[in-house]
Amino acid sequence: MLRYFLLSRAIRMLAVFFIIIILNFILPRAMPGNPASILANEYNLPPETVKILVSLWKLDRPLHEQFVAYIESLFTGQWGYSYKYYPRTVYELVMERLPWTLLLQGVTSITVPAFGMLMGILAGWRRGTKYDVAVTISAIIVYAIPYYWLALMFQYVFGYQLRIFPIAHALTPGASYSNFLEYVADVLWHLTLPVLVVTLTAYASYTLVTRNSMVDILEEDFMFVARAKGLPERTLMKHALRNALLPPLTMLAIRLGHIVGGAVITETVFSYPGVGYLIYESIMFKDYPVLNAAFFMLSITVIVANFAADLLYAVVDPRIRYVRRG
Amino acid sequence: MRSLKAGLILPALILLLLAFSVIYPAWGQQAKASSAITANTYDKYLKPCSCYGGTLKLAMPSAVTTLNWWVAGTDWDLIPLEMIYDRPLRIINGSPTWEVATSLEYSEDYKVLTMKIREGIKFHDGVELTAEDVAFTINVLANRSWPYYHGYFTSVDRAEAVDKYTVKIYFKNPDAGFILNALPVMNIMPKHIWEPLLQTYGDQLAKYSPKPEELVGSGPFKFVEHVSGQYVRFVANKDYWMGRPCIDELILVIITDANVAVLAIQNGEVDAFLWGVDPAVAKTLETYPNIKIHARLSESFRHWGLLTTVWPLNISKFRLALSYAVDREVLVNDVLLGYGMVGSPGVVGPFGYCAPWYNPNVEKLVYYDPKKAAQILDEIGFTDKNGDGWRDGPRGEPVVIEIYSPTPGYDPVRARVAELLKEFLANIPGGGIKAEVYYYEWATLWPMIREGKVMTWLLGSGWSADISWLYTRFHCPPGGSSNWAKYCNPEVDKMLEELRSSFNETRRKELAWKIQEILALEAPVVNLYYQAFPTPYRTDKFENWFITPSDTLSNRINMLRLSLKSSLCPTPITTPKPTPTTTPSPTTSAAPTTQPTTSPTPPPTPSSTPSPTPTTSVGGPDYTLAVVAAVLVVVVVAIVLLVLRRR
Amino acid sequence: MVSILRDLRYILIENRMGLIGFAIIMFFTLIAIFADIIAPYNPYELVGPPYTPPNERFILGTNDIGQDIFSEFIYGSRISLYVGFTAPILSSIIGTILGIIAGYLGGYIDELVVGAVDVMLALPSLPLIIILAAYLGPSLNNIILVLAIFGWPGFARMVRSQVLSLRERAYVEAARATGAGSFRIMFRHILPHVVPLVIANIVLSATSAILTEAGLSFLGLGDPIAKSWGQILRRAQVGHALHQGLWLWVFTPGLAIALLGTGFTLLGVAIEEKVNPRLKHSRR
């Protein structure tokens, strides 16, 4: 059964991968606006230079030639040159931005589920109490808050009014550091607002899922039996947790796949120099090579994470070993 | 100090020599040659330093993408490189100024240009800058297709170093715009560094990133480091041939977020911006005690383009009527909040590069007068025929002018201008002209304008130093490569061609004036305004700001002569020589002993300069916000309680 | 009929969550309907100087080109509600039809639909939504289309699993025995039984539709001249509203998005509690 399951998932993965590659190629090219002419306008390039750029970027070649070049470059890791940051390579740009995204998303990938699951566990454990209702209702409200809006309001309060946190960027502009500790302090200082905002707005779904799964488990027969046997609360809690944390953990696995993609709006609001902001810039600028590379990367991470989540489910949850869903 | 004096004396000496050479018969060949070019000298601008030392921090809004000058194209690549290189000529306050070159002379047939250069200039690595370096730079720009400024050098055949300090430039065909267009943008690159690289990499040099030790020039600053996305750091070249810069260190700080940048200048973390802020933001910044705004006019004209090939815009009288109907004053005052200048109907502006060519008469020719607009429209038969309040065509055809603008989110200024233009047209007495505003994403709209797919549009177009730029904008296509209005007038074409080939300055000026008059009356574009970019700078730390209408804050004079204020000066200049009028008081020696060069915030000032406490709504806690927050909390709690009651 | 009324009574009156959600939605619906009367100005007209701080003429001030923000805000409710309803309804229609067909007919069609659903659910939705919105061009209907494209698989999966269990029910067997065609069975006998669950999910996904539309508009991928709340936020951000202390410009539209979203979620949860027996039990 497990083998069949893995096989079907692998086939699905390939299909998704194929779709991504095709979309990745077609979509950016179908966008309106010729990047060479955009460059020419932004920077007052002489027309001769524009012609050269067009031939350099193969914009004047037929589509199928562009496609061949695309596939080739995809697998040789040569993602070409950015239009906006020419003559820098896409690879260089992405690698320069990636650490910031990994940092921001890494931290929130811990704080968000930790906070969310804690709230959910407590609410589920005391199900039906006022505490449970309060947590649930506030999670529903928080779920509907646009986080860029909360980010803007936090920027206003903490950045403009109280002036205790920087409103954007990952480092103090132009700062030079005398030692590593100073550098770390500056990074953390700039990280505070984004992490706070993301945590305060994204925890809700974890809370709701954890709470519901807690409630489900606590009302299973075996829990009643355990309670009737007079097992101490602590042991009961342990049993419940072991089973109840599976759904939120799966959510976490899937979330890890969205590390880069989920960063677009956050990084844009905070001008955080990560890949998400790079994607935003390249959409605004029609920077095809960067878009191609970024979406390729995004898709790979998402696909792999989804597969990991499936595996996690298959390995940990005996009930799903494995009948097809539905 | 010695080099400073040399800087003052050298130009004078060379001028003398020049004058002498014209008279002296041994130089007969040149004396016969038709025209020597005149330009300003630096001593006109250079004041002595009032202090040596300090770190100047200038904010840039965008990352540096390359430090390879051959291919650098954006301002944010060019500005850092400008600090380390010198140019033959430089345009300061709209007029050319000798820098490395000391004289320029054309041969009789204008096919050879002889350039003499200053002696004794050294690159940062000690090698002397000679005619070989200049010739090498010109040859690369002319013979390779990938350099950014190649377009200005296409008329050049080759350049040769005749002797150590003389370069001859040979042209394929005479190019009247060459001196003003090409030489003031050309950084002189050291041949001993770039020739080996060119041999190694060939045309792949276009993608080459120079190593720090290869970033060697002869300019006032030496390159230290570039931390990607963070800053570019320079130290002063203390042996600079024009005299050392007054400051010790220069940091170009990269701040991509506009709001962060504004906070940084409020807090004194940077001393000036290198780009303009939003007019509304400038208004709030103006209220800070130590911040001033330099409204820098951009070398461009912002206009309402009219596609002259579609009815009714193919009727030149109709276009003229539109030009009469537009109140340019309102646009400058209400939209630009005063940061700008009313556009001349003849397009050419009275400042910067264009100042010598500007024809003041055109503003008496065409001006804001809606009655006149109505009169013209009546004459050509555009009257309200069906009584709906809008004018129709001569045969009763409906008239709707489509105005295409970038979206308000991309450019609020143009969006507002579009709405106001619509109002102006509606307000023409005796029946308005109906207009519709269409918003497009700029990336989408721009190709549509270029391909002639939109009826009218709002656009800013730059101009070059030489007036021959009018050719690309108003000559009949395809000659006029950026003539988006598709305007064709054989008379104008002939004049534009002559403007491009003539070297007779009086004739050229005559032509330029005549063209402006025709453009005003035929209105292929309705020139609206010259936009000024409000650029903030701080006045509490550095002095000697050199501000002109069209120069940026990073102009060469500022870079050489900005000095720390004497109250902040670590090593005041105590020479008995003709120094600044301020008497060096003994108390200044008690000035901060800490090195101000590394501190990111302004050092504590012993003087009574008030700290930058904001006075506008930005400062101080906003109590309404607290009240609203409190109300919000109460409401949420109430909702929760309401739900709880059920249980 | 009576049971529907009883359900409604439960959802809207006995369950306070449903009541509050319904009240919020009604509040904004009324604003949207009577926008012409409530709004003091035409939101497209330049009625004052740009960046006017709030005063008695302009309750929330004017924006970067001099339009009244309060009027923009009032008209913005129309767009949020429009998106909040149409996008999920569109995806529910596609999803329900495919789900019923797949679940009832089974076989290759089922394989096909399940495969498509699986693939769709595995696609990186947010980045793809962003790039699709960028590609299709900035218009409201394109955003709705994109939301529908990514919304239907959820509905299809849910409906299919419902149909799988309904298919074996006695009354469906009976219908089949009397010779009713597949089409008739699917849409006369099975459809009515999945509709309540579908409705609950429509209301629940309205929240994410509203949020996504606002987010795309905020990123500059929305209709640039539509007066949506996300667009107001973007203009405030581009126009440096916070720097000038014009925080109400940012605060109001965001609060409205959060409120309306909460309203839809509360109502959705209330409906789901009623129609999904599994949840009713666990939620007590």
Side-chain angles (χ1 to χ4, degrees):
Chain A
M1 219 55 210
L2 189 63
R3 186 182 298 160
Y4 171 76
F5 167 70
L6 287 182
L7 192 72
S8 75
R9 291 292 131 137
I11 290 170
R12 192 184 74 178
M13 223 169 92
L14 280 179
V16 172
F17 186 70
F18 184 70
I19 290 175
I20 295 287
I21 285 187
I22 299 285
L23 277 181
N24 227 352
F25 175 76
I26 295 173
L27 288 186
R29 258 154 257 260
M31 279 201 217
N34 169 352
S37 66
I38 293 170
L39 259 186
N41 182 54
E42 292 276 316
Y43 304 129
N44 278 323
L45 294 188
E48 287 83 0
T49 315
V50 175
K51 271 185 222 145
I52 293 152
L53 291 182
V54 167
S55 65
L56 187 70
W57 294 334
K58 298 200 173 122
L59 293 171
D60 53 346
R61 312 300 305 164
L63 268 186
H64 64 269
E65 279 184 41
Q66 290 186 30
F67 186 72
V68 171
Y70 164 71
I71 295 288
E72 217 173 281
S73 67
L74 209 58
F75 289 100
T76 50
Q78 288 166 338
W79 297 336
Y81 289 84
S82 157
Y83 292 174
K84 182 172 187 221
Y85 292 106
Y86 181 82
R88 304 199 63 191
T89 64
V90 174
Y91 182 81
E92 229 174 73
L93 281 175
V94 170
M95 287 306 145
E96 188 180 296
R97 305 288 193 100
L98 194 61
W100 292 116
T101 298
L102 291 181
L103 175 69
L104 176 58
Q105 295 292 313
V107 171
T108 52
S109 292
I110 296 167
T111 57
V112 171
F115 184 62
M117 277 150 68
L118 188 71
M119 300 288 275
I121 291 166
L122 293 179
W125 188 248
R126 305 186 201 166
R127 61 199 189 283
T129 64
K130 287 185 178 187
Y131 176 83
D132 174 26
V133 179
V135 166
T136 312
I137 297 286
S138 55
I140 286 176
I141 293 174
V142 160
Y143 176 73
I145 291 180
Y147 62 81
Y148 43 93
W149 172 69
L150 194 72
L152 289 175
M153 293 321 289
F154 272 37
Q155 283 178 354
Y156 187 64
V157 174
F158 295 106
Y160 285 103
Q161 298 293 324
L162 305 174
R163 302 205 174 195
I164 47 176
F165 288 113
I167 54 172
H169 283 279
L171 291 170
T172 306
S176 47
Y177 306 97
S178 52
N179 56 43
F180 187 65
L181 233 90
E182 226 172 71
Y183 176 78
V184 171
D186 198 34
V187 169
L188 289 181
W189 189 47
H190 281 79
L191 204 59
T192 316
L193 272 194
V195 168
L196 201 63
V197 168
V198 172
T199 309
L200 283 182
T201 48
Y203 83 90
S205 45
Y206 287 90
T207 300
L208 292 176
V209 168
T210 314
R211 181 216 170 258
N212 286 352
S213 122
M214 270 299 271
V215 170
D216 280 349
I217 297 294
L218 289 176
E219 308 209 336
E220 292 270 350
D221 291 341
F222 75 91
M223 286 304 287
F224 281 113
V225 175
R227 201 180 287 267
K229 274 204 229 154
L231 285 176
E233 286 287 295
R234 182 179 281 271
T235 322
L236 278 176
M237 184 79 152
K238 226 186 248 170
H239 276 289
L241 278 186
R242 188 171 297 159
N243 293 291
L245 287 188
L246 192 62
L249 280 178
T250 319
M251 262 178 84
L252 179 60
I254 292 171
R255 180 194 160 81
L256 289 177
H258 291 93
I259 268 192
V260 185
V264 177
I265 295 182
T266 321
E267 289 182 0
T268 305
V269 179
F270 285 101
S271 293
Y272 206 79
V275 180
Y277 190 51
L278 186 67
I279 291 175
Y280 172 73
E281 286 178 306
S282 41
I283 287 174
M284 292 292 131
F285 204 80
K286 317 281 183 230
D287 198 343
Y288 298 175
V290 175
L291 271 183
N292 267 351
F295 279 93
F296 183 68
M297 260 181 53
L298 283 185
S299 317
I300 298 296
T301 48
V302 171
I303 293 169
V304 170
N306 278 345
F307 192 65
D310 281 336
L311 281 185
L312 189 76
Y313 237 106
V315 174
V316 181
D317 191 343
R319 282 174 299 185
I320 321 177
R321 196 178 267 198
Y322 191 70
V323 201
R324 280 173 60 210
R325 259 180 225 173
Chain B
M1 242 5 247
R2 209 186 48 205
S3 51
L4 175 65
K5 256 196 304 182
L8 292 173
I9 291 165
L10 255 175
L13 251 174
I14 278 149
L15 264 184
L16 253 174
L17 256 173
L18 220 158
F20 187 64
S21 72
V22 178
I23 307 160
Y24 194 61
W27 294 64
Q29 264 183 319
Q30 264 97 347
K32 225 170 60 192
S34 36
S35 63
I37 279 46
T38 52
N40 291 330
T41 53
Y42 262 98
D43 32 335
K44 185 174 169 187
Y45 305 111
L46 293 183
K47 280 201 259 172
C49 296
S50 51
C51 169
Y52 289 141
T55 299
L56 180 69
K57 292 190 173 185
L58 304 177
M60 300 206 303
S62 184
V64 176
T65 57
T66 179
L67 288 171
N68 177 348
W69 178 73
W70 304 108
V71 294
T74 70
D75 278 355
W76 323 117
D77 297 342
L78 292 170
I79 287 175
L81 292 162
E82 193 183 335
M83 304 297 162
I84 55 179
Y85 296 113
D86 280 329
R87 298 175 181 176
L89 280 180
R90 192 175 293 273
I91 292 186
I92 296 174
N93 196 13
S95 37
T97 307
W98 297 119
E99 196 163 294
V100 170
T102 57
S103 80
L104 286 167
E105 233 172 295
Y106 270 116
S107 68
E108 228 164 319
D109 60 355
Y110 292 99
K111 288 192 116 175
V112 184
L113 180 65
T114 309
M115 184 200 300
K116 294 242 171 229
I117 63 163
R118 205 171 296 264
E119 298 176 18
I121 296 177
K122 292 237 165 70
F123 284 115
H124 300 152
D125 54 5
V127 180
E128 191 179 359
L129 187 156
T130 67
E132 292 284 344
D133 298 297
V134 179
F136 168 76
T137 308
I138 294 175
N139 282 329
V140 174
L141 288 168
N143 300 334
R144 308 278 170 163
S145 57
W146 38 264
Y148 178 74
Y149 284 119
H150 172 66
Y152 286 142
F153 289 81
T154 44
S155 57
V156 174
D157 179 45
R158 66 184 197 282
E160 270 171 20
V162 182
D163 60 43
K164 207 171 171 194
Y165 303 111
T166 312
V167 186
K168 274 199 186 328
I169 305 164
Y170 297 89
F171 291 89
K172 293 178 212 154
N173 46 291
D175 181 357
F178 178 78
I179 289 181
L180 284 182
N181 285 338
L183 295 183
V185 298
M186 181 191 117
N187 287 338
I188 298 169
M189 307 293 276
K191 185 183 181 184
H192 64 279
I193 287 174
W194 289 95
E195 192 167 50
L197 287 173
L198 188 63
Q199 273 161 9
T200 318
Y201 293 99
D203 285 342
Q204 291 301 307
L205 195 65
K207 293 171 183 171
Y208 182 72
S209 302
K211 301 181 192 69
E213 63 270 21
E214 287 161 354
L215 288 168
V216 166
S218 58
F221 289 92
K222 297 181 184 175
F223 176 83
V224 178
E225 59 174 336
H226 166 220
V227 178
S228 184
Q230 278 283 300
Y231 60 84
V232 192
R233 200 152 66 84
F234 306 88
V235 291
N237 175 7
K238 299 209 168 143
D239 304 317
Y240 189 52
W241 55 272
M242 238 191 279
R244 62 159 287 183
C246 308
I247 53 171
D248 275 346
E249 193 184 24
L250 169 69
I251 299 181
L252 300 178
V253 181
I254 295 154
I255 311 183
T256 50
D257 186 282
N259 292 317
V260 174
V262 168
L263 281 180
I265 196 159
Q266 280 174 6
N267 298 336
E269 287 153 18
V270 295
D271 300 300
F273 277 22
L274 295 182
W275 78 102
V277 297
D278 197 273
V281 174
K283 285 284 169 216
T284 64
L285 279 176
E286 258 181 352
T287 62
Y288 283 70
N290 293 317
I291 296 180
K292 277 201 176 149
I293 302 288
H294 167 32
R296 182 179 69 84
L297 283 163
S298 76
E299 300 271 6
S300 65
F301 61 107
R302 312 276 152 160
H303 59 272
W304 180 21
L306 311 172
L307 188 62
T308 59
T309 51
V310 296
W311 186 88
L313 297 174
N314 55 356
I315 307 165
S316 73
K317 287 266 179 187
F318 185 86
R319 301 196 300 262
L320 180 64
L322 297 186
S323 186
Y324 270 115
V326 173
D327 189 349
R328 297 167 173 87
E329 296 268 351
V330 164
L331 298 182
V332 171
N333 293 332
D334 285 13
V335 184
L336 303 179
L337 306 179
Y339 295 113
M341 195 186 253
V342 167
S344 159
V347 176
V348 174
F351 64 93
Y353 297 159
C354 280
W357 312 98
Y358 167 66
N359 178 353
N361 300 335
V362 290
E363 309 208 10
K364 287 175 218 125
L365 224 54
V366 181
Y367 40 86
Y368 171 56
D369 187 350
K371 287 202 199 81
K372 198 93 180 251
Q375 190 191 324
I376 295 172
L377 289 172
D378 289 345
E379 271 169 33
I380 55 174
F382 283 81
T383 49
D384 180 11
K385 298 195 174 55
N386 53 11
D388 63 351
W390 300 103
R391 287 174 187 266
D392 310 293
R395 268 165 290 156
E397 313 95 312
V399 177
V400 180
I401 302 296
E402 297 166 1
I403 304 172
Y404 289 81
S405 157
T407 59
Y410 179 84
D411 186 353
V413 167
R414 273 189 270 178
R416 190 164 156 81
V417 168
E419 299 286 350
L420 285 173
L421 286 178
K422 184 178 161 185
E423 261 175 50
F424 292 152
L425 294 192
N427 291 339
I428 295 174
I433 289 180
K434 197 178 244 174
E436 295 290 346
V437 178
Y438 296 91
Y439 293 102
Y440 276 78
E441 286 302 321
W442 179 240
T444 314
L445 180 56
W446 177 226
M448 290 165 66
I449 295 173
R450 294 166 68 103
E451 288 156 24
K453 286 184 186 154
V454 296
M455 192 176 183
T456 75
W457 59 90
L458 296 172
L459 187 66
S461 295
W463 54 51
S464 326
D466 187 81
I467 192 66
S468 51
W469 63 265
L470 281 172
Y471 184 94
T472 55
R473 302 263 177 224
F474 296 106
H475 190 281
C476 195
S481 52
S482 324
N483 179 358
W484 315 131
K486 311 267 181 276
Y487 171 67
C488 285
N489 179 335
E491 194 195 345
V492 173
D493 285 358
K494 218 179 274 166
M495 286 194 277
L496 286 169
E497 281 152 25
E498 196 181 341
L499 192 65
R500 235 176 35 157
S501 55
S502 169
F503 283 81
N504 180 337
E505 290 303 299
T506 22
R507 175 65 184 149
R508 296 186 86 208
K509 190 158 182 177
E510 204 180 296
L511 287 167
W513 278 43
K514 184 73 192 140
I515 293 169
Q516 288 177 56
E517 278 162 25
I518 297 176
L519 289 181
L521 290 173
E522 301 225 307
V525 303
V526 177
N527 193 21
L528 300 173
Y529 51 84
Y530 306 109
Q531 193 162 1
F533 295 115
T535 320
Y537 62 101
R538 289 189 74 91
T539 51
D540 55 346
K541 198 169 161 196
F542 290 94
E543 58 189 11
N544 291 348
W545 286 97
F546 179 79
I547 308 287
T548 70
S550 57
D551 284 309
T552 61
L553 288 175
S554 65
N555 64 66
R556 185 51 67 102
I557 308 297
N558 267 345
M559 290 302 102
L560 289 172
R561 281 303 166 263
L562 274 182
S563 309
L564 270 185
K565 291 204 158 174
S566 51
S567 55
L568 304 168
C569 191
T571 50
I573 298 169
T574 49
T575 40
K577 296 269 165 70
T579 36
T581 49
T582 51
T583 45
S585 63
T587 47
T588 43
S589 57
T593 47
T594 53
Q595 275 292 80
T597 45
T598 49
S599 86
T601 48
T605 52
S607 62
S608 62
T609 25
S611 61
T613 37
T615 50
T616 49
S617 53
V618 181
D622 195 331
Y623 293 109
T624 29
L625 181 65
V627 171
V628 171
V631 169
L632 206 67
V633 169
V634 169
V635 168
V636 170
V637 169
I639 290 176
V640 170
L641 288 181
L642 206 66
V643 177
L644 285 179
R645 256 183 52 203
R646 176 177 153 247
R647 318 274 150 168
Chain C
M1 206 55 215
V2 178
S3 77
I4 291 176
L5 278 180
R6 205 169 49 222
D7 284 354
L8 268 183
R9 195 183 123 81
Y10 170 79
I11 291 165
L12 295 182
I13 294 165
E14 287 174 20
N15 186 331
R16 276 176 207 279
M17 292 216 301
L19 179 62
I20 292 171
F22 185 71
I24 293 174
I25 295 168
M26 279 319 289
F27 173 70
F28 282 107
T29 311
L30 287 177
I31 286 182
I33 292 173
F34 297 108
D36 296 324
I37 301 166
I38 302 170
Y41 304 98
N42 176 350
Y44 290 98
E45 210 176 309
L46 311 185
V47 288
Y51 302 109
T52 315
N55 59 24
E56 58 280 357
R57 262 187 76 204
F58 309 110
I59 304 173
L60 299 178
T62 60
N63 70 3
D64 49 352
I65 69 169
Q67 297 160 333
D68 179 41
I69 297 171
F70 181 67
S71 308
E72 284 190 303
F73 169 72
I74 295 295
Y75 279 90
S77 59
R78 289 188 171 174
I79 293 189
S80 282
L81 283 170
Y82 176 63
V83 173
F85 279 116
T86 43
I89 287 176
L90 259 181
S91 36
S92 74
I93 291 174
I94 306 171
T96 308
I97 292 174
L98 289 178
I100 289 182
I101 292 175
Y104 185 77
L105 295 182
Y108 285 115
I109 295 172
D110 187 32
E111 293 276 333
L112 204 70
V113 171
V114 170
V117 165
D118 273 356
V119 167
M120 286 300 288
L121 288 176
L123 284 175
S125 59
L126 181 71
L128 262 173
I129 284 180
I130 288 175
I131 198 180
L132 268 178
Y135 155 65
L136 288 172
S139 107
L140 195 60
N141 288 332
N142 284 347
I143 288 186
I144 291 172
L145 190 70
V146 169
L147 286 173
I149 291 172
F150 282 94
W152 72 263
F155 282 94
R157 170 176 277 189
M158 181 201 74
V159 169
R160 177 179 168 275
S161 64
Q162 278 291 104
V163 172
L164 282 183
S165 66
L166 286 174
R167 190 168 66 174
E168 315 302 330
R169 294 271 173 86
Y171 67 95
V172 178
E173 299 276 355
R176 207 166 9 226
T178 58
S182 299
F183 189 82
R184 193 184 158 80
I185 295 172
M186 278 191 280
F187 291 95
R188 278 296 295 277
H189 298 284
I190 293 181
L191 182 65
H193 290 268
V194 291
V195 161
L197 207 59
V198 168
I199 287 176
N201 273 282
I202 286 177
V203 177
L204 277 176
S205 27
T207 310
S208 73
I210 290 170
L211 281 174
T212 314
E213 186 273 332
L216 288 177
S217 294
F218 180 74
L219 278 181
L221 295 169
D223 188 340
I225 42 164
K227 295 292 175 194
S228 79
W229 291 332
Q231 200 64 39
I232 299 175
L233 277 173
R234 174 172 177 78
R235 295 280 283 278
Q237 166 82 339
V238 171
H240 306 280
L242 293 180
H243 173 258
Q244 297 173 63
L246 305 171
W247 61 272
L248 266 175
W249 186 359
V250 176
F251 181 76
T252 327
L255 183 71
I257 296 170
L259 259 182
L260 187 57
T262 309
F264 274 109
T265 314
L266 286 175
L267 184 64
V269 169
I271 299 176
E272 206 184 19
E273 263 183 39
K274 189 68 204 169
V275 297
N276 191 341
R278 230 190 78 221
L279 277 183
K280 191 169 145 196
H281 169 63
S282 62
R283 271 188 183 273
R284 298 227 314 211

